[in-house]
Amino acid sequence: MFDWEAAWHAALYGPAGFFTRGEKPAAHFRTSPLVGPELAEALLTLLSRVDAALGCPPVVDFVDVGAGGGELASAVRSLASGSLGARLRVTAVELGPPVDLPGVRWSSTIPRCEGLLVGHEWLDAIPCPVVRGPSSDPWITRWWPSLGDGWAEVGTPRDTAWAAAVGSVRGAALAIDYGHLVSSRHFSLTGYRDGRQVEPVFDGSCDITAHVALDACADAAGGDFVLVSQRDALAALGLSSEVTGSGWEWLESAARAGRVAELRDPLGLGGFGWLLHGCGVPVSALLPSLPPWRPNPASHSVV
Ligand SMILES: C[S@@+](CC[C@H](N)C(=O)[O-])C[C@H]1O[C@@H](n2cnc3c(N)ncnc32)[C@H](O)[C@@H]1O
């Protein structure tokens, strides 16, 4: 029988795998950290709330798991200032080759974190078994009961990885990704190469990804969590697309408003889920009450 998980793993993380050999997302698809510094700004606001709830420890961590080219880690490092900036330690966790960025340390494993751990489009890059129904797999029985005779990605490896990541944190852990819920599952295995969605071939020539069962990940990690949309979370963290000023100031503010609108587009990046766990910190100290996430089946990697 074909071992989908092993083939997917070899294609991305084997000796000649897509990510192992140093392919970076920026060359193949567009993610929120690549839009501009605004996601990092919002995450710094979240980190400052985590820091306050932890009582401002001497060292506060920002850990970026599945950091790719390190754009998010680097932007957080360069935007942080004041007391938080002086105490901030930024770690990029990545299986592919590190990138030399000032103030960012690289690791291939997740360190213990006192602060904020973020997995931005990390979970969708974790290989899974693939099954054709009907299936007696316990994960499918619980999390994909509507499967029938179709195909499905079994989310167990992502649940396990997310639970371990959340378990390494004091503060908060945030997964940002495209995905689905038990009420909206659909088979979504696909590939990306050079800015195009392509057939998912397991030869290392393309990224291979599938939507994340964020409800199952939340349940596996447990504790205090919320699952909301990027669109709502960014507004709650103060990002606005208001255009102000005149002359150059107006132009800069209009460009920024365009980037914020892209990050909040409900049919694109704004439709991504934000799964936020409080780890010894109540989630209510970090975000106000927001509507639950309703995934948009069309939203996937943005090319
Ligand atoms: C889709 S890319 C996202 C990159 C970046 N976060 C962004 O949004 O632009 C996923 C990244 O996760 C990395 N990755 C996957 N599993 C990992 C693991 N267990 N530890 C560290 N990095 C991992 C891959 O090598 C890849 O660079």
Side-chain angles (χ1 to χ4, degrees):
M1 208 171 66
F2 184 69
D3 186 338
W4 289 84
E5 186 182 7
W8 187 344
H9 197 277
L12 297 189
Y13 308 112
F18 184 79
F19 287 123
T20 322
R21 65 165 194 268
E23 292 291 347
K24 298 297 182 194
H28 299 278
F29 45 89
R30 187 159 168 86
T31 64
S32 294
L34 306 176
V35 171
E38 286 77 15
L39 176 69
E41 273 176 42
L43 292 179
L44 264 175
T45 303
L46 183 61
L47 177 58
S48 68
R49 293 177 189 173
V50 173
D51 182 44
L54 289 173
C56 303
V59 175
V60 62
D61 286 304
F62 180 84
V63 175
D64 179 8
V65 186
E71 293 86 356
L72 180 61
S74 178
V76 165
R77 177 60 276 175
S78 57
L79 290 172
S81 59
S83 158
L84 177 60
R87 291 177 293 114
L88 181 62
R89 177 171 59 190
V90 176
T91 309
V93 183
E94 181 46 62
L95 295 178
V99 181
D100 191 14
L101 297 168
V104 177
R105 63 176 194 160
W106 289 76
S107 169
S108 57
T109 54
I110 299 177
R112 293 214 67 78
C113 164
E114 188 169 27
L116 176 63
L117 176 146
V118 175
H120 189 276
E121 292 205 30
W122 166 46
L123 296 174
D124 71 77
I126 296 181
C128 300
V130 174
V131 296
R132 180 150 198 196
S135 167
S136 58
D137 183 286
W139 190 93
I140 294 289
T141 307
R142 175 155 186 210
W143 292 109
W144 204 315
S146 60
L147 179 60
D149 62 0
W151 291 88
E153 305 91 0
V154 182
T156 315
R158 292 159 175 196
D159 295 1
T160 305
W162 184 240
V166 173
S168 70
V169 178
R170 202 172 89 83
L174 172 65
I176 303 177
D177 232 307
Y178 40 84
H180 43 41
L181 297 172
V182 70
S183 54
S184 60
R185 297 274 185 252
H186 55 283
F187 187 58
S188 60
L189 188 76
T190 192
Y192 286 92
R193 184 194 305 122
D194 300 331
R196 281 176 216 281
Q197 193 165 3
V198 296
E199 283 285 305
V201 255
F202 292 85
D203 62 358
S205 68
C206 60
D207 178 25
I208 297 170
T209 177
H211 283 225
V212 182
L214 283 170
D215 46 358
C217 292
D219 185 78
D224 184 21
F225 68 83
V226 288
L227 178 51
V228 299
S229 72
Q230 170 152 306
R231 176 176 177 76
D232 290 336
L234 289 182
L237 291 169
L239 279 199
S240 116
S241 36
E242 201 187 338
V243 180
T244 55
S246 58
W248 280 113
E249 198 187 322
W250 183 90
L251 269 181
E252 273 175 22
S253 135
R256 177 186 162 85
R259 294 191 296 269
V260 172
E262 180 177 352
L263 294 175
R264 296 193 61 231
D265 175 5
L267 298 179
L269 298 170
F272 280 36
W274 277 41
L275 171 59
L276 177 67
H277 291 257
C279 311
V281 164
V283 168
S284 57
L286 308 177
L287 279 182
S289 177
L290 295 171
W293 179 53
R294 302 229 319 260
N296 164 22
S299 89
H300 211 304
S301 274
V302 177
V303 291

